[in-house]
Amino acid sequence: MLAQGRKRKIDSECRVFKEQWNIDYFVIESNNKALCVICTDTIAVLKEYNIRRHYEKKHSSQYYQFIGQLRKEKFDKLKKNLSSMQFVFKKRAVEKERATRASFHVANLLAKKGKPFTDGELI
């Protein structure tokens, strides 16, 4: 038991993600958290108990029949789907950023020339 007044530090407990959890519980490590590749929920604390509890409560009834190589293939497929979803969101964010930069550039040009925003001749 901890002495009164002392706080536990998670960093000092050496909680590290174990690669075996990928196949056992369908999770990957993302930003020092476990990310479920099935439902994309994050499990904040890297403890096997928390990760196993998430898997058993939410997914074990659907995925218990996958064993051995079939389980690994299912995990790889889910991980690939997650990566493609994340790529779509990143791509859209980059497109929005580029549009915003172009808009600022045009506004800057108009301001330097002292033209109104409705003037299209400069552009």
Side-chain angles (χ1 to χ4, degrees):
M1 187 123 202
L2 293 174
Q4 195 171 15
R6 280 184 56 200
K7 290 188 177 183
R8 279 179 41 184
K9 294 194 177 197
I10 293 174
D11 294 341
S12 66
E13 293 180 13
C14 300
R15 294 182 183 165
V16 293
F17 187 84
K18 294 180 177 63
E19 294 297 317
Q20 183 61 35
W21 296 345
N22 289 339
I23 307 300
D24 291 347
Y25 308 117
F26 290 97
V27 294
I28 59 173
E29 184 178 15
S30 177
N31 298 328
N32 291 330
K33 296 179 183 179
L35 176 66
C36 177
V37 295
I38 300 169
C39 65
T40 67
D41 281 352
T42 57
I43 299 107
V45 181
L46 289 175
K47 287 173 56 176
E48 185 174 13
Y49 172 78
N50 293 0
I51 295 168
R52 182 181 24 175
R53 183 181 62 205
H54 170 84
Y55 172 76
E56 288 175 352
K57 290 207 179 237
K58 294 189 174 186
H59 309 299
S60 65
S61 62
Q62 291 177 313
Y63 292 91
Y64 75 93
Q65 74 272 14
F66 296 108
I67 56 173
Q69 185 62 27
L70 187 61
R71 190 172 184 91
K72 183 176 180 350
E73 290 171 4
K74 186 66 173 175
F75 169 76
D76 290 339
K77 183 178 178 185
L78 289 167
K79 184 178 174 184
K80 184 178 177 184
N81 289 343
L82 178 66
S83 295
S84 66
M85 272 194 312
Q86 290 173 337
F87 177 73
V88 168
F89 288 117
K90 287 178 185 176
K91 184 178 176 185
R92 286 189 179 158
V94 168
E95 289 173 355
K96 285 183 180 183
E97 183 180 334
R98 287 180 182 161
T100 302
R101 285 180 188 244
S103 174
F104 286 148
H105 185 66
V106 169
N108 190 21
L109 286 173
L110 290 172
K112 283 182 180 177
K113 298 290 183 178
K115 302 282 185 175
F117 287 107
T118 56
D119 191 0
E121 291 179 23
L122 179 65
I123 292 137

